[in-house]
Amino acid sequence: MHWADKVAEELLSRGKKHRIATGITPSGHIHLGNLREMLTADVVRRAVEDRGGKAEMVYIADTFDPLRKRYPFLPEEYEKYVGMPLSEIPCPCGGHENYAEHFLEPFLESLEILGIDVEVKKADEMYRKGEYVQEIKTSLREKEKIKKILEEVTGKKCDESWSPFMPLCESCGRINSTRVVDFDDSGVYYVCECGHEGKASYRGGGKLGWRIDWPARWKILGITCEPMGKDHAAAGGSYDTGKLLAKEVFGIEPPYPIVYEWIHLKGVGAMKSSKGIVVPVREIVEVLPPEIVRYIIIRSKPERHIDFDPSSLLDLIDEFEEAYARGDRSVELSLVKSVRYCRVPFRHLVVVGQIAGWNPDRVVEILKRTGYEIDVEDIRRRLKYAEKWLSRFAPDRLKFEIRDVEELNVKFDEEELEFLRRFAEAMKEGMNASDLHNLVYEVANDVGIKPGKAFKAIYKAIVGKSYGPRAGYFMESLGVEWVKDRFLRVVEVNS
RNA sequence: GGGCUCGUAGCUCAGCCAGGCAGAGCAGCGGCCUUUUAAGCCGCUGGUCGCGGGUUCAAAUCCCGUCGAGCCCGCCA
């Protein structure tokens, strides 16, 4: 059974309706590793629904978190924003409303492409709208109890000035430099390192510290399940404290946890937005079809780490297509529902695309002529990915270009020309890949050259290199008439 | 100081929760086909299941220990 189906069974044994939470801080490029959180949730949601349950997904973007430090990818002037909430910092490119949006927007676009339907909540808006008011008050009231739980579970002392609530300083704009001195029903009194003394509102005047914020949002949003990176799941980590706080302070059952491992970039290591070692999600969905991006993550159990190796993508796509034919569950869960999918191999699109100069109409024409059952919309869709994949990841030996005969830049000897001439003459309309392939041997035999030399002559005449795609199906794709004319032209020009 | 995950064929992994003849894909080799190519199909090769112990009629699977790899937590989400 697929891992998502097992999780779904477990969830359904607890209840019929589920709300699955996800949370990623938009402090830097949101990358493939972060995407695992979303896809894990999405696939569990689907599995729950497939079993007749109800499930929805919420994404809480931690836009109200402080900027921890000036990351390597940020200009020096961002030093002054350290400690301020991401939602209050200017956008690095100037094109978005704020810093958080800059990273959030491309990510949310990607989610759409990936078919992940999710309710997006921005933490700064949640706080400002007052969604946290009750939980902030509860936390302040239960401060000692919370403190005790944190200290017991983490084995670390909270200092004297510790508070579950972090006020946002009205003067310097930082959210990690204030100290709570008192609170009443109208707000929280604080002093800031910058010298300012003020009163923070329960609505957007500050936020709960992470370890409290997390269980608080479980309660606010009614969360029953949440995937989390393994950092949260470590003993004494935030899930350990969260589940106790959930029960003892907020009076709820903690959500069912799905712990997932990191995604590494082959030969580089784990992706870390703070270090700038990332493959942003937006870039991946530009280059790879969504069903493949989904498959990369969905096929592996969450607790296994994934080595993402861009150089073996074609093998992965082959594997996907084969699994598709088998009716594999991972593939089923990977296919985006709104996307049509037909069974022309991606590999083949790469070849035909090159033959057709990436003209979709010509590609469709070739595919139809060579007997493929196609869905035109899907062909057009995946053709774009094939072209991008070829230019970005493919080894040179898979690339070719069909140039004019005059520009081939290769020399032919007498035997080769003789072969090409006789081959052209022997070709008949209606021959298929295998006929053409066999014809190579026949003609080579007649001319008295080795088959190897014959194949080379064919490739030289078509693409100007001594190798190329499987000759029979290559020529079939090009069309008998075209190849015939081509060879005769080559003979003419080189004689 | 605590904790998690992984270790099964050359490579990537499934099987483990619920014990019952060790599996798949790729790679390799051979064939279909006078074949050195980037398609397809068929077959073959290949493993002390990290190691040691325990439970059991029976252990890759459960228990204890140990080694190796990767990683996390100690108010950073």
Side-chain angles (χ1 to χ4, degrees):
Chain A
M1 203 190 335
H2 193 271
W3 61 264
D5 291 314
K6 288 185 196 173
V7 173
E9 274 190 358
E10 176 62 34
L11 287 178
L12 286 170
S13 75
R14 296 171 179 222
K16 212 138 167 67
K17 276 187 73 177
H18 289 276
R19 245 166 112 72
I20 307 170
T22 55
I24 297 162
T25 310
S27 56
H29 284 293
I30 298 179
H31 54 77
L32 186 63
N34 300 133
L35 186 63
R36 192 168 204 177
E37 171 125 349
M38 307 306 284
L39 277 174
T40 301
D42 182 60
V43 84
V44 167
R45 182 216 357 228
R46 273 210 206 177
V48 167
E49 284 173 348
D50 285 352
R51 277 154 198 270
K54 277 209 184 310
E56 52 191 15
M57 211 176 134
V58 195
Y59 166 43
I60 301 103
D62 290 298
T63 52
F64 216 36
D65 281 17
L67 182 68
R68 308 265 164 228
K69 61 175 184 183
R70 182 174 70 85
Y71 298 115
F73 52 84
L74 292 173
E76 214 158 296
E77 72 209 64
Y78 271 70
E79 203 66 59
K80 66 172 180 272
Y81 299 124
V82 172
M84 288 171 59
L86 301 173
S87 60
E88 310 308 305
I89 299 172
C91 170
C93 75
H96 303 84
E97 211 168 302
N98 57 54
Y99 183 99
E101 281 300 316
H102 174 83
F103 294 108
L104 208 48
E105 190 192 273
F107 180 62
L108 295 179
E109 282 171 18
S110 309
L111 292 184
E112 195 136 325
I113 294 170
L114 291 165
I116 301 174
D117 181 27
V118 60
E119 180 190 347
V120 178
K121 305 278 280 183
K122 296 172 190 172
D124 67 303
E125 290 174 3
M126 288 180 74
Y127 275 102
R128 275 193 256 270
K129 284 182 191 158
E131 294 182 45
Y132 272 95
V133 172
Q134 283 316 312
E135 282 64 36
I136 294 172
K137 288 182 175 172
T138 304
S139 304
L140 287 167
R141 219 168 34 237
E142 302 277 10
K143 176 183 153 185
E144 288 310 316
K145 191 169 175 184
I146 294 173
K147 193 171 171 178
K148 196 171 154 231
I149 290 173
L150 291 185
E151 288 179 340
E152 272 172 13
V153 176
T154 63
K156 262 248 171 173
K157 275 266 178 245
C158 299
D159 65 41
E160 272 311 298
S161 62
W162 181 87
S163 169
F165 186 71
M166 299 158 63
L168 174 62
C169 176
E170 313 161 274
S171 172
C172 71
R174 287 180 293 165
I175 199 167
N176 63 352
S177 55
T178 50
R179 189 159 56 82
V180 172
V181 289
D182 200 6
F183 67 96
D184 58 27
D185 218 39
S186 65
V188 181
Y189 301 88
Y190 67 89
V191 293
C192 180
E193 283 169 12
C194 74
H196 183 76
E197 292 184 24
K199 179 177 162 190
S201 154
Y202 286 113
R203 298 169 178 265
K207 73 184 292 292
L208 292 168
W210 162 247
R211 281 180 187 256
I212 301 99
D213 185 308
W214 203 20
R217 73 170 64 153
W218 293 340
K219 171 156 190 182
I220 296 166
L221 299 169
I223 301 307
T224 59
C225 172
E226 180 160 357
M228 64 193 74
K230 61 176 176 182
D231 49 344
H232 295 300
S238 48
Y239 185 72
D240 264 7
T241 51
K243 67 185 175 198
L244 275 178
L245 295 175
K247 286 182 200 164
E248 295 183 22
V249 175
F250 298 113
I252 54 163
E253 274 305 305
Y256 179 79
I258 307 171
V259 180
Y260 60 85
E261 255 283 358
W262 303 145
I263 297 182
H264 296 231
L265 196 52
K266 183 93 174 176
V268 179
M271 295 188 196
K272 286 270 182 192
S273 14
S274 56
K275 289 184 189 155
I277 311 174
V278 295
V279 184
V281 173
R282 196 69 185 87
E283 275 180 34
I284 299 172
V285 298
E286 287 290 326
V287 189
L288 286 179
E291 62 272 17
I292 300 299
V293 178
R294 292 177 61 98
Y295 186 66
I296 289 170
I297 291 174
I298 290 170
R299 67 203 257 271
S300 291
K301 289 190 290 196
E303 64 267 25
R304 294 197 76 101
H305 95 257
I306 294 174
D307 243 339
F308 177 62
D309 179 6
S311 72
S312 64
L313 282 172
L314 195 58
D315 287 337
L316 184 77
I317 294 173
D318 280 346
E319 186 194 314
F320 173 89
E321 286 166 353
E322 206 174 303
Y324 177 90
R326 281 201 307 271
D328 178 80
R329 180 66 170 153
S330 288
V331 169
E332 190 182 348
L333 291 168
S334 298
L335 289 168
V336 175
K337 288 194 172 143
S338 60
V339 162
R340 301 231 288 271
Y341 189 83
C342 71
R343 292 175 61 177
V344 177
F346 190 80
R347 236 176 229 287
H348 189 52
L349 284 178
V350 170
V351 171
V352 177
Q354 293 183 85
I355 290 174
W358 302 107
N359 176 326
D361 294 332
R362 287 193 58 205
V363 168
V364 166
E365 181 200 315
I366 291 172
L367 291 173
K368 278 187 179 159
R369 175 164 51 73
T370 48
Y372 279 93
E373 260 183 51
I374 61 170
D375 178 303
V376 174
E377 198 182 304
D378 179 45
I379 293 300
R380 286 174 172 273
R381 177 181 80 89
R382 284 193 295 143
L383 190 64
K384 288 188 195 133
Y385 292 113
E387 184 175 7
K388 282 176 187 157
W389 175 82
L390 188 82
S391 65
R392 209 164 148 179
F393 297 114
D396 284 340
R397 50 188 262 285
L398 297 190
K399 296 178 187 170
F400 63 84
E401 199 186 340
I402 299 174
R403 275 180 281 189
D404 289 345
V405 172
E406 288 78 6
E407 291 166 26
L408 277 176
N409 269 334
V410 280
K411 288 203 177 3
F412 295 87
D413 66 25
E414 282 306 314
E415 286 176 341
E416 287 171 327
L417 292 172
E418 172 72 1
F419 168 80
L420 290 173
R421 188 180 62 73
R422 288 174 65 170
F423 188 85
E425 284 166 359
M427 288 175 85
K428 289 192 186 69
E429 201 54 55
M431 283 181 144
N432 66 23
S434 148
D435 298 334
L436 291 164
H437 185 76
N438 290 329
L439 189 63
V440 176
Y441 293 98
E442 256 175 58
V443 177
N445 202 28
D446 288 350
V447 176
I449 60 173
K450 285 192 189 141
K453 184 164 184 177
F455 281 105
K456 271 187 188 153
I458 288 170
Y459 295 124
K460 278 160 71 178
I462 300 174
V463 297
K465 298 195 216 173
S466 59
Y467 56 89
R470 287 264 175 189
Y473 108 108
F474 189 37
M475 289 190 282
E476 185 192 24
S477 298
L478 289 161
V480 167
E481 247 350 273
W482 187 92
V483 174
K484 193 175 229 180
D485 291 347
R486 175 78 174 197
F487 287 178
L488 293 175
R489 257 311 265 150
V490 169
V491 171
E492 190 186 321
V493 168
N494 288 279
S495 299

